[in-house]
Amino acid sequence: MIEYIILGFLMRQAMTGYDIKQYMGYSTAYFMDASFGSIYPALKRLTEKGLISLSEVVEGGKLKKVYSITNAGRESFSKWLGSPIEASKNNISGSLTKIFFLSYLPKEQAAALLHGYIRDIDEYRQGLTKLRELVILHANGFELSTLDFGLDYYTFIIDWYSRYLQNL
Amino acid sequence: MIEYIILGFLMRQAMTGYDIKQYMGYSTAYFMDASFGSIYPALKRLTEKGLISLSEVVEGGKLKKVYSITNAGRESFSKWLGSPIEASKNNISGSLTKIFFLSYLPKEQAAALLHGYIRDIDEYRQGLTKLRELVILHANGFELSTLDFGLDYYTFIIDWYSRYLQNL
DNA sequence: GGCGCCATGTAACCAGTTACATGATTGC
DNA sequence: GCAATCATGTAACTGGTTACATGGCGCC
């Protein structure tokens, strides 16, 4: 996940590891805020894979490693961005990360992606309704309400993304 | 987390590791579904800590390890259940796990817990509103909408738990 | 005799976080 | 001179998952 966020950031401009952390702080922070302990190793891995490249710069006496995305990196990022959003798990971060970078996807492809996500969530919600019939036989009120939260929650997600899709 | 779920299940009745997995499948599965690879080691740890105890039973030729919660375990569980629900992170599972076991908490304490959670989420939501003013200066529409999702999402959470609190 | 379920467990892996270590620059 | 911020990095830990290994029972 963190690797794709980094690629996404580098799509806009070259950055250092420190910059990336800073930028996260006032952009994706609320749904995704990685630590240096995951950013620096991720930059290392991405460089080894050839998806980004670095140039070492000395600025104000400090050594800076400025990373840029390569063509292979752009390709990898686009492939990931266009792939379906996983609906199965409580994965707000996963879906929001794609929304965040959606400007890098052609409009029709973005619409298709959201459409598929809404369909998958709806399917999952229907599965929950079936589960509810089973659970109601043995669960107490408290236990049942966690399931009802789930139903309401997925309804909210479906509504929100449907509205979002219309405004696209 | 998994350790507290196990303690919660054992509050109701003694169970084997396999039972726990089964029971999760038709109760907490949609927000929390652990694998055997985390259940068995957790049972081992809980036993070592003295929070649960086991009796080995041979039933139908199969060796079963039936686990029961100890007094220390009950105490640990109640302490955890009564402690504040973390509002800071996208932690649906965390809050739902407590809702699921809320019947083990005295009504007033349950109400206080939910009340505190709603207050914390509301505070967090206000922080997001402030962040939005900052973000709007440099973000594009897609980037901003992830933040708007956050605002709508926390509004949903607040509404849901407020309604829940009233029906308690 | 083979499939599906019951039942327990371990080893390797994963995607991160926390805490630590280092050192330079800027501003009071 | 010392605190805050800039800047990079590693080691140990965390809380799991996946895949594997083992074996017995019931049923067709």
Side-chain angles (χ1 to χ4, degrees):
Chain A
M1 188 83 268
I2 178 65
E3 297 190 11
Y4 291 113
I5 310 251
I6 291 175
L7 289 179
F9 282 172
L10 297 185
M11 286 289 283
R12 187 186 259 197
Q13 57 182 292
M15 281 175 152
T16 68
Y18 193 86
D19 290 340
I20 288 167
K21 170 78 175 149
Q22 292 286 97
Y23 194 75
M24 271 189 188
Y26 55 88
S27 63
T28 67
Y30 107 86
F31 64 93
M32 175 104 308
D33 196 10
S35 63
F36 285 122
S38 72
I39 292 171
Y40 285 117
L43 286 168
K44 204 175 174 184
R45 289 194 303 272
L46 286 167
T47 309
E48 281 161 7
K49 287 186 215 164
L51 303 181
I52 61 176
S53 65
L54 78 153
S55 63
E56 304 201 351
V57 182
V58 180
E59 210 180 290
K62 275 168 286 191
L63 175 79
K64 278 189 179 185
K65 295 189 173 179
V66 183
Y67 293 90
S68 315
I69 192 164
T70 63
N71 281 332
R74 263 180 280 268
E75 211 172 299
S76 166
F77 176 74
S78 297
K79 198 181 159 191
W80 165 78
L81 187 58
S83 71
I85 303 171
E86 272 182 75
S88 52
K89 291 185 182 167
N90 272 324
N91 192 8
I92 295 185
S93 312
S95 53
L96 288 187
T97 306
K98 293 216 175 177
I99 298 293
F100 189 82
F101 292 121
L102 219 54
S103 61
Y104 294 111
L105 220 55
K107 214 168 203 173
E108 311 85 60
Q109 216 185 328
L113 191 73
L114 291 173
H115 214 273
Y117 182 56
I118 292 166
R119 190 203 52 224
D120 291 349
I121 290 279
D122 196 48
E123 219 164 87
Y124 195 70
R125 195 188 178 283
Q126 277 167 36
L128 268 195
T129 331
K130 287 232 170 87
L131 182 64
R132 197 183 190 283
E133 288 164 27
L134 190 87
V135 167
I136 206 165
L137 300 171
H138 71 88
N140 67 38
F142 291 94
E143 293 178 5
L144 201 60
S145 51
T146 57
L147 230 157
D148 286 334
F149 176 92
L151 292 172
D152 292 343
Y153 170 68
Y154 288 118
T155 302
F156 163 76
I157 298 286
I158 291 165
D159 284 355
W160 198 90
Y161 279 97
S162 298
R163 250 180 295 122
Y164 189 72
L165 185 59
Q166 281 182 344
N167 292 331
L168 205 64
Chain B
M1 187 86 269
I2 179 66
E3 296 190 11
Y4 291 112
I5 309 248
I6 290 175
L7 288 179
F9 282 171
L10 297 185
M11 287 289 283
R12 188 187 258 197
Q13 58 181 293
M15 281 176 153
T16 68
Y18 193 85
D19 291 340
I20 288 166
K21 170 79 176 149
Q22 292 287 96
Y23 195 76
M24 271 189 189
Y26 54 88
S27 64
T28 67
Y30 107 84
F31 64 93
M32 175 103 307
D33 195 10
S35 64
F36 285 122
S38 72
I39 291 171
Y40 285 117
L43 287 168
K44 205 176 174 184
R45 289 194 303 272
L46 286 167
T47 309
E48 281 162 7
K49 287 186 215 166
L51 303 181
I52 61 176
S53 66
L54 78 153
S55 65
E56 303 200 351
V57 182
V58 179
E59 210 180 288
K62 275 168 286 190
L63 176 78
K64 276 191 182 184
K65 295 191 174 178
V66 182
Y67 292 91
S68 314
I69 192 164
T70 64
N71 282 333
R74 263 181 280 269
E75 212 172 300
S76 165
F77 176 74
S78 296
K79 198 180 158 192
W80 165 79
L81 187 57
S83 70
I85 304 171
E86 273 182 75
S88 54
K89 290 184 183 171
N90 271 323
N91 191 9
I92 295 187
S93 312
S95 53
L96 288 186
T97 306
K98 294 215 175 176
I99 298 292
F100 189 81
F101 293 121
L102 219 53
S103 61
Y104 294 110
L105 220 54
K107 213 169 206 172
E108 310 86 60
Q109 216 185 328
L113 192 73
L114 291 173
H115 214 272
Y117 182 56
I118 292 165
R119 191 204 51 227
D120 291 350
I121 290 279
D122 196 45
E123 218 163 272
Y124 195 71
R125 194 187 178 285
Q126 276 166 37
L128 267 195
T129 331
K130 288 232 172 86
L131 181 64
R132 196 181 190 283
E133 287 163 27
L134 190 86
V135 167
I136 205 166
L137 299 172
H138 71 87
N140 67 38
F142 291 94
E143 293 177 6
L144 201 60
S145 52
T146 57
L147 230 157
D148 287 334
F149 176 93
L151 291 172
D152 292 344
Y153 170 68
Y154 288 118
T155 302
F156 163 77
I157 298 284
I158 290 165
D159 283 356
W160 199 90
Y161 280 98
S162 298
R163 251 181 292 122
Y164 188 72
L165 185 59
Q166 281 184 342
N167 293 332
L168 206 64

